[in-house]
Every structure is written in C-alpha cells, then in structure tokens.
Amino acid sequence: MSLAPSRTASPVTRRTVLKVIGGVGAGLMLGCFADAGRITAGEGSKAALAPNAIVRIDPNGDVIVTVMRSDMGQGVRTSFAMLVAEELDADWNKVKVLQAPADEEKYGSQQTGGSSSITSHNRDLRRAGAVARALLVGAAAKTWGVDPSSCTTDAGVVKHASSGKSLSYGELAGTAATLPIPTEEPKLKDKSEFKLIGKPTNRVDNHDVVTGKAIYGMDVPVEGVVHAVVARPPTIGGSLKSFDDKAARQVPGVIDVVKIGSGVAVVGLDTWAALKGRDALVIDWDRGPNIGVSSATLHEAMVKEVRSHDAAPAGAKVVAATLEFPFLAHASMEPMNAVADVRPDSCTVWVPTQNPSGAKEAAVDASGLPEDKVTVNVTLLGGGFGGRHKADFVSDAVEISKAVKKPVKLQWSREDDMRNDDYRPASHHSFQGAVDSSGNPVAWSHQVVFARGRGGRGYRDAGIMYAIPNAKLAEMGTDSPVRTGPWRSVDHTQVDVANECFIDELASAAGQDPLEFRQKHLRDERVKKVLNAAAQKAGWGTPLPAGHGRGVACFSAYGSCSAYVMEASVEGDKFKLHRVVGVIDVGTAVNPRGVQAQMEGGCVDGLSTALKAEITVDKGAIVQSNWGEYDWLRLNEMPELEIYVMDSGGPFGGMGEVGYPPSPAALANAVFAATGKRVRMFPIKVSELA
Amino acid sequence: MAQYNISVNGEQHQVDAPPDTPMLWVLRDRLGLTGTKYGCGIAACGACAILLDGAEERSCQLPISEVGSKKIVTIEGLTRDGSHPAQRAWMENDVPQCGYCQPGQVIATAALLNKSPKPTDAEIDQVFETHICRCGTYHRIREAVKQAAKETS
C-alpha cells in the first residue's frame, strides 16, 4: 500500500483523493470528505447515495455496507455493519452487507487477524456512516427549506419536529447524492446516544446459513467449472521425481492431469472423479532431507536450547517447572480451496481468505498477468483461526486454470488440509520462580523455545500481568522444517497459557489460594475486575463434590481482558468437565452477542487443544490426517458454560483471540486442584500427570 | 458411468455417474446444491448430513447406486424460507459462527425430531457426538435443539 504525500492533484481523480486522505492519517482510505467515488445510479430522486467506499443508500431505502475484512465466524460482517448503521441512524432491517474484493488501495489493510478488525476500523466505519447521515439531513433540510440543525434522524428517516415532516433515507438518497460532501470532520455520537452499538444482535448471515444459501469458497457457482485436487509430496520438504498418469486418465470423469508447482493436479468433471484420478496416479517422490525428523527429535532440539536460569534471591523458595505444547493444525471446517478463472487477459479468483492482498499477489504471480487484470473476490470463510493467511491454494487454482484453460475449483481434501498447514509451532517452556518467606513472588524466569526455526527475540521483559521483581522472558527457536504460522491468539497460546499455569505453582509454593495470589499481584485493575467477576459468578471457594477441582486463569491483550473459572474431575483415564464460567471485557462491545460467541468459541478451542488435539511428526511427515486422529471437543463433552460480557466502557477492544489463552490454563489448574498433580504436557493426559 | 434417477428435495433428477460416486459430490458438483458441505469424506464430522427418507445420512458415504427410490432432502429442501423449527431456533439462538457445519447440524436436528419429537439430553448427545463444530457453538446447538423440539411438539 503506497501513501502519496499530502498534495492536491488536479484534476482530482478518485484514486489520488483517496491516497491524499490516506496520507494525512485517515488510516482507512474512505474518501469520506471528497466529492469523489459517488455513484449516481439514475436521475434525481432515483439515484443512490454512495459518498464513500463503505456505504450506499439505494432509492428503495436499502443500506448497503461494504465490509472489507473477512468473516471467518468472528462476526465482522455484523459488527462492521452495526458501526456504520449506528452513525447513519439506519433502519437495521434495511441494512445489507457486501463483501469487498481485494483492494487495499481503496479499503486499507484487509488482513484479518490479530483481533484487529474492530480496533483498527471502528472510527472510519463510524465516520463513513456519519458522512452519509449528514448528507441525508442536508437533503431533507434543502427539500423543506429548513435549517439542518432542526432535523433529527431515526431508523432510516429524517424528521422535522416543528413541522411534523419526515422523509425516508431512500426518498432522500437522490437529492443527497447531489450535495457536496462535507469537508469538516463529522461529529460522532457520544456513547450515551448509541442505539445499535452495545445491543446484542444476531448475525446478518444466519438466514443464508440455515437455508444452505451462504456461499463459501467451495460453493461459488461458476459456469463451466471443472474440479481439481493435487497430489503433494507426503513428506515435509519432499519433491516430485516422476509420475505416471496413464491409469488416472482412464478414471471416468477425469479430464486432465497437469504438473504444477506444488505437485500433480488431477482435473475432473466433479470432485469425486478428481479424487479417484489422484488415487490412480503412480508417483515417485523424492522424500527430501527431513525423513529423520520427528516430534521426538524436535523436542530434543528444543530442550537443548534451554540455558540455566539466573540464581534466585538467597533464602527464597525456588520452584522449577517445564511445559510442552504440540504443533496444532487450524483444521477449519472448510478445507482450503479456491476457484480461479484464468483467461488470456484476465484472472478472476474467488477464495475464502484472511489475506485478500496475499491472495491477489499469489494470483498475479501464478497467472503472470499484471495486477490490474487480476480480481480476487472474497467469499465467506468456513473458519479461519489464522490458517487462511497463506495463499498456496490460490496459486494451485490459478496454475491449474491457466494450464487447462477452464475455470477450476481447487479442493484440498481434509487430509491435504491437515498435512499441508502452517501449524501453530510446538514449544518447550522452562520456568524458574521463587517466593520469599512472606509468600511474595521474588523471581520469575521463563524460557520458551519454539520449533519454528532459529532466532527469536532473546531476553526481554517478561510481559506478565503480575508485579514480580526480576521477571524475565527469553524467547528462542530451534531448527525445524515444519511450516508454522499464526494460530488463534498466536504466541499467547503458549506463552500466556504457560504463564498462567506457573503463577498457580508459585501460589502453591506460597501456600496461598491461586485466586487470592493473583488478586494480590495483578498490576492492572481491569484484569482484576474481570477475574473477580469470574470468581464470584463461579462461587469460588464454595464446596465441591469429592474429586472435583476448580481452576482459574486470566488474560489481557488486544485491548481486552478475559478470565475463566473451570471445574473438572478425573474419571478413569479421562477428564470430565463440569462447569465453566467466563468473563470478558472488551471495553465497549459493538455486539455483545458476538463477543459472547467468540468467548464461547475461544473457550471450546482451549478445551479441545488442552484435552485432545495434537499434531505430531514422524519420519519427516505429519502423522494426523483427519478428524478422529486430530480431534476436537464434541457436544456431549461440553461442560455447563456461562459467559458474561462485562462492559467497562473503555475503547473498543479486540475479541477473536481473547477467549483462548486462559481456557487451557484454567483447565490445567483445575486438574491440579482435582488431582494434586501438575500438567507438564499439552494435550493433558491422565497418565502423564506429574 | 450409469444412469440414476434420484429424488432430491421433491424433484426427480437424472444423473449419469459412476456407481460409487458419493451423493455429497452429486449434490454439490452435479446438481449445484452446495448447502451440503464437505468436511472430512469419512463420515467423521457431519458437515455433509442429509435426510434420507427422513433419517440422517452422511452423504459422503452414500454412493449414488444405493439411493434407489429413497427420498433425499438437503438443507435447501428442508424449507425454502427457513421456517423449519430447527432453522428458526438456529437463527433465534444466533447459533452460527462461521456457519459452515450448521446445515449438517440443522439436518441432524430435523432427523432427530422426526424420530424423537421430545429428545432427552442423552439422545441429543448421541446424535451430536458425531458432529464437529470447529467454532465451538455446541451449547447454543443444544439450546436450539431444545427450542426446536418445544416448537415441534
């Protein structure tokens, strides 16, 4: 994304205006204040009002909000539309959502990750709505010959109280489209004036989802499309030596077999033909340089990186611990896929991606066409969790379409998806801490080694929520050929989970209740409030049935804080989850119902990865390939779940990732409370408790 | 290839396909009914659930040759307007997150209610222990199933 210097270009084109606005710090390049980008769909009152790239009001009153971030279940299509509709004073029932194609010049960053959508876009979305509202008010005032300040708006209608006149937004759109766009910064509502923000709202796609009309990547209907799957090297770093496709070409429905960068693609009339054709390929793979790599060798290499911890203060009680986390696959319900239609002079892609610009780059590279000939449309995402930042499935689809000269639907099987992911890295954690004779923590040293290549940030501030003198975190890496990438909550899934387990160990060493110990040493009042609320709702300290234990953990990042109290017991060789109470504070929640859902989802992810999911490596290959081997929590394993959304009234915080980190930690601490044994390894197995 | 005449959502369809073609791919790639989702191909996740004579069936494991005269209903055919009690309960409880697995969960609910209009928690567990929702909407699913049952009875 290039930012042009602040200058006035003449003649002013839409693109330069957008760039100039971007250059002066608008963040998202809306073109809110420029008389540019206006779409006049007809004459006079029949025209639509489209004062910026985000909002359009049609003559029939429909409010079309363009959402430039990807929705993978976090509900951004709903919350973004709410932010625009709030300042517009739109009738929520008239709001429709359009998904933006990849165009960062127009929309700003479309990378959907890091719980950043609301925090980075809320202001500009509100401004987009406010500008449209000002134009509609201006149009009504002009029509009635009154002062705009004497007009009010509500639910898609401008009203003039003293005359009793009113006009709907649809009726005003045409006139509003003829007015100059205000140059002054639009006034945004005070929190006390919110009608939509803060109101629990159901997501905009529900009807399409439950009637089967929702279009995910693999559902895109394209005339004449053929279906493709790719045979990829079975080992990490393996490559294709040669292949024989005679039998594959005999499979009914197989249209073609083509060699592409990632392997051998089989193209069929339908996906089944392509899958059967792939099974019939005879391929000689070079297994590559990593066949000696396994989870055990990677673990050994990580442990070797650990150095000795600094000596604890004299006389203090020293506690040492290790923790292990495995690789994790993203395993979205919708396996990776993309549709590509490459023509001699154009390339159109439809793809469920968290990274539209990355997808576009991949399509440009693979098609060999200039950027302005490449269009990337973003569909709904059947899950993401960080796994849809990569774009190798886009390259696959474009390469195949280019080769067979037809639109191609490229489908990764579940097995392809699980074995060719960018995994959450495995990690090894070494802790040393100490408490003094009064039970106060006096030392904290955490060394984490990630299996994601050499390097790391070395020693730095511990980044812990607790006031502990001499607190340090050392981050290191070890050689590993396994591809890694962001996974919901990224390094917090290990560093913060481990921290919340070890603070519990310090509390035990101090002979103190883990909740009270946290309350005493937490630096941030906001986290403390969330923790206290969770404890209170869960009845912390009240008696439990024999064999049950209660654990607690909290978290703060992305502008939000969260906490869980969990109750668990051991039944035979399994854990039984009884009750989970969670509290989440995102400052001001745009859609509390969506925030609650994300907390529920983060909690279930935490429990699933604490108890079940793990990716292992053997002979240079990923072992797991489908559900069952890599499993998730099921409905019958769910505890009672209560989530409370706390409104602290602060700035809009992030949410997608905040629900995860305290979940595995609270469970591990509940397991200790129930069994007296500490968790040293995730996923937690009864037989491996220390 | 062989010719099959199958009933999907109340309409007869002629499909020319190898006998082992799973209904999942017939529905999605041949008939354009993409509401039925691919999730695993081994009947482990439930994203591809359809109704076969009113009972839940994993379409990824149902070859077209075994359909015969049985009637298939997909999520598109459950109701056209989303008025089935399960669909309504799903919307009201705001069950979906990414939504990808939910057609299968709704179909499973419709099948459960066909068999057992007032399902117990144990019956709900039994049906849904073979369905995965990667977004973790399980407790809303349970609530929605119960609400749908209330409205059905």
Side-chain angles (χ1 to χ4, degrees):
Chain A
M1 183 168 71
S2 63
L3 295 180
S6 284
R7 62 183 164 79
T8 309
S10 183
V12 180
T13 64
R14 174 181 169 72
R15 192 148 277 192
T16 54
V17 167
L18 292 169
K19 278 189 175 174
V20 170
I21 288 170
V24 295
L28 173 64
M29 300 173 185
L30 284 175
C32 279
F33 314 109
D35 188 5
R38 172 171 302 164
I39 301 160
T40 45
E43 292 296 315
S45 66
K46 283 185 186 152
L49 169 67
N52 48 58
I54 300 305
V55 62
R56 188 183 87 212
I57 293 125
D58 284 344
N60 66 1
D62 284 350
V63 173
I64 316 295
V65 176
T66 298
V67 171
M68 79 299 284
R69 289 286 176 113
S70 303
D71 207 323
M72 60 195 110
Q74 86 280 33
V76 73
R77 285 162 60 87
T78 306
S79 52
F80 272 26
M82 288 171 74
L83 285 158
V84 175
E86 176 68 68
E87 295 293 344
L88 179 59
D89 264 342
D91 175 356
W92 181 245
N93 297 317
K94 294 263 192 182
V95 174
K96 296 186 164 72
V97 173
L98 268 186
Q99 192 70 37
D103 189 346
E104 295 214 330
E105 205 162 339
K106 190 168 175 181
Y107 300 110
S109 167
Q110 294 180 267
Q111 281 256 7
T112 311
S115 298
S116 67
S117 293
I118 294 282
T119 50
S120 61
H121 283 283
N122 73 81
R123 191 173 158 72
D124 287 317
L125 292 164
R126 291 175 64 195
R127 289 162 82 219
V131 166
R133 179 187 168 276
L135 288 166
L136 292 159
V137 168
K142 191 180 168 194
T143 306
W144 299 325
V146 302
D147 191 293
S149 66
S150 64
C151 299
T152 58
T153 52
D154 185 35
V157 176
V158 184
K159 294 173 185 167
H160 188 246
S162 57
S163 66
K165 285 177 180 160
S166 72
L167 281 168
S168 73
Y169 285 3
E171 291 171 305
L172 289 164
T175 309
T178 67
L179 300 179
I181 292 176
T183 50
E184 69 272 17
E185 179 70 21
K187 189 182 172 299
L188 301 182
K189 286 182 183 176
D190 180 73
K191 194 181 172 185
S192 62
E193 300 170 279
F194 288 164
K195 295 170 192 165
L196 266 175
I197 294 175
K199 184 179 163 189
T201 303
N202 287 352
R203 63 190 56 217
V204 294
D205 294 309
N206 278 353
H207 191 274
D208 283 351
V209 165
V210 303
T211 53
K213 293 187 192 98
I215 299 293
Y216 299 85
M218 67 168 73
D219 304 331
V220 175
V222 176
E223 187 68 29
V225 79
V226 292
H227 302 262
V229 297
V230 176
R232 290 176 188 74
T235 50
I236 301 159
S239 59
L240 179 68
K241 278 206 275 194
S242 63
F243 68 97
D244 176 350
D245 62 8
K246 272 193 236 46
R249 287 180 182 275
Q250 297 304 309
V251 170
V254 168
I255 297 167
D256 209 344
V257 178
V258 291
K259 184 174 172 293
I260 61 168
S262 64
V264 183
V266 180
V267 184
L269 274 178
D270 57 26
T271 313
W272 184 243
L275 286 166
K276 285 191 76 180
R278 182 171 73 170
D279 287 346
L281 286 171
V282 180
I283 303 182
D284 189 11
W285 299 108
D286 177 341
R287 295 180 73 80
N290 302 311
I291 51 168
V293 175
S294 68
S295 290
T297 63
L298 291 170
H299 175 251
E300 208 174 299
M302 286 192 283
V303 172
K304 266 192 197 145
E305 296 294 325
V306 175
R307 304 155 208 176
S308 51
H309 294 274
D310 289 349
K317 186 175 177 186
V318 177
V319 187
T322 59
L323 260 172
E324 314 285 342
F325 292 84
F327 291 103
L328 292 176
H330 295 86
S332 308
M333 284 309 291
E334 180 188 19
M336 298 301 134
N337 64 80
V339 181
D341 185 1
V342 182
R343 309 277 172 104
D345 58 350
S346 72
C347 169
T348 310
V349 172
W350 294 263
V351 59
T353 176
Q354 291 177 247
N355 181 6
S357 64
K360 189 162 180 175
E361 268 171 44
V364 167
D365 286 350
S367 67
L369 289 166
E371 205 183 315
D372 62 351
K373 302 290 183 200
V374 176
T375 305
V376 171
N377 299 300
V378 179
T379 65
L380 285 176
L381 284 59
F385 314 105
R388 286 191 147 96
H389 283 293
K390 63 184 185 144
D392 38 9
F393 41 94
V394 175
S395 312
D396 283 356
V398 171
E399 279 187 65
I400 301 166
S401 174
K402 193 177 173 183
V404 302
K405 298 183 172 59
K406 287 186 176 74
V408 165
K409 193 172 278 190
L410 177 274
Q411 180 68 58
W412 284 23
S413 66
R414 171 60 61 199
E415 291 81 3
D416 297 336
D417 188 279
M418 202 165 279
R419 289 191 162 140
N420 294 276
D421 199 1
D422 288 359
Y423 304 89
R424 194 282 300 266
S427 61
H428 172 79
H429 302 250
S430 171
F431 279 99
Q432 184 183 284
V435 291
D436 66 15
S437 53
S438 322
N440 291 316
V442 290
W444 175 285
S445 173
H446 178 181
Q447 296 183 39
V448 51
V449 187
F450 291 106
R452 66 175 169 211
R454 296 227 158 246
R457 283 174 284 183
Y459 276 89
R460 55 191 173 100
D461 176 67
I464 51 173
M465 297 179 286
Y466 305 94
I468 301 177
N470 309 308
K472 270 196 266 183
L473 168 71
E475 184 198 300
M476 296 165 278
T478 189
D479 291 330
S480 164
V482 181
R483 275 175 56 160
T484 59
W487 194 101
R488 190 179 203 170
S489 217
V490 203
D491 290 358
H492 298 297
T493 65
Q494 294 132 312
V495 172
D496 292 74
V497 174
N499 284 346
E500 278 301 282
C501 291
F502 192 62
I503 198 78
D504 237 61
E505 295 205 40
L506 285 190
S508 292
Q512 293 177 31
D513 175 85
L515 173 70
E516 284 168 23
F517 191 76
R518 281 177 173 80
Q519 287 164 333
K520 208 180 291 176
H521 302 292
L522 272 173
R523 282 184 302 216
D524 183 22
E525 285 302 314
R526 193 174 160 208
V527 190
K528 221 184 275 183
K529 276 187 193 158
V530 168
L531 180 71
N532 291 346
Q536 192 242 323
K537 294 281 187 191
W540 185 268
T542 55
L544 285 171
H548 289 215
R550 223 181 244 133
V552 64
C554 52
F555 178 64
S556 173
Y558 307 107
S560 302
C561 340
S562 55
Y564 294 106
V565 172
M566 297 195 180
E567 184 189 329
S569 64
V570 177
E571 286 181 9
D573 62 349
K574 286 198 166 144
F575 295 102
K576 170 101 181 138
L577 304 165
H578 299 282
R579 185 175 175 223
V580 173
V581 174
V583 176
I584 170 74
D585 170 12
V586 295
T588 299
V590 175
N591 180 8
R593 203 159 203 202
V595 168
Q596 189 181 344
Q598 284 307 289
M599 187 72 173
E600 291 163 3
C603 176
V604 173
D605 273 2
L607 297 173
S608 301
T609 51
L611 294 176
K612 302 182 106 178
E614 140 178 64
I615 289 289
T616 56
V617 182
D618 187 37
K619 298 186 183 72
I622 302 297
V623 172
Q624 295 74 15
S625 66
N626 209 319
W627 299 114
E629 299 167 280
Y630 182 78
D631 212 6
W632 226 246
L633 211 69
R634 309 294 177 107
L635 181 139
N636 57 307
E637 297 167 308
M638 281 290 285
E640 279 178 50
L641 179 59
E642 298 162 43
I643 301 295
Y644 300 91
V645 179
M646 213 164 117
D647 190 342
S648 65
F652 299 106
M655 184 58 230
E657 289 155 295
V658 189
Y660 181 91
S663 171
L667 178 61
N669 295 335
V671 166
F672 172 74
T675 65
K677 290 175 180 172
R678 286 289 172 191
V679 170
R680 297 284 171 236
M681 210 176 272
F682 287 94
I684 314 168
K685 291 171 188 136
V686 174
S687 59
E688 286 173 356
L689 289 178
Chain B
M1 297 277 185
Q3 279 271 336
Y4 296 94
N5 196 344
I6 53 174
S7 164
V8 179
N9 298 335
E11 286 173 32
Q12 289 300 126
H13 293 269
Q14 290 260 324
V15 180
D16 199 16
D20 63 350
T21 310
M23 274 311 298
L24 170 65
W25 302 115
V26 174
L27 293 168
R28 292 184 52 82
D29 297 347
R30 299 296 191 89
L31 305 182
L33 294 168
T34 53
T36 302
K37 305 301 184 196
Y38 165 65
C40 68
I42 58 168
C45 76
C48 70
I50 56 170
L51 296 177
L52 187 67
D53 278 350
E56 182 188 345
E57 187 74 31
R58 301 289 157 100
S59 65
C60 75
Q61 297 297 309
L62 176 66
I64 189 168
S65 58
E66 286 180 18
V67 175
S69 60
K70 289 184 179 153
K71 289 184 169 53
I72 288 172
V73 173
T74 70
I75 189 72
E76 292 93 342
L78 188 61
T79 67
R80 312 261 164 196
D81 58 358
S83 61
H84 186 280
Q87 290 169 313
R88 290 211 313 270
W90 245 250
M91 290 187 274
E92 281 167 29
N93 286 278
D94 204 31
V95 175
Q97 287 188 28
C98 87
Y100 188 82
C101 73
Q102 302 297 350
Q105 315 270 10
V106 169
I107 284 287
T109 305
L112 172 62
L113 297 179
N114 284 344
K115 198 170 64 178
S116 176
K118 284 181 187 170
T120 61
D121 271 312
E123 286 175 301
I124 295 173
D125 280 353
Q126 205 186 1
V127 167
F128 289 96
E129 72 183 355
T130 61
H131 283 259
I132 296 174
C133 170
R134 178 64 182 78
C135 297
T137 64
Y138 297 123
H139 91 284
R140 293 193 195 210
I141 289 176
R142 189 187 294 280
E143 290 305 306
V145 172
K146 288 181 175 175
Q147 185 183 322
K150 231 179 251 170
E151 287 182 23
T152 308
S153 52

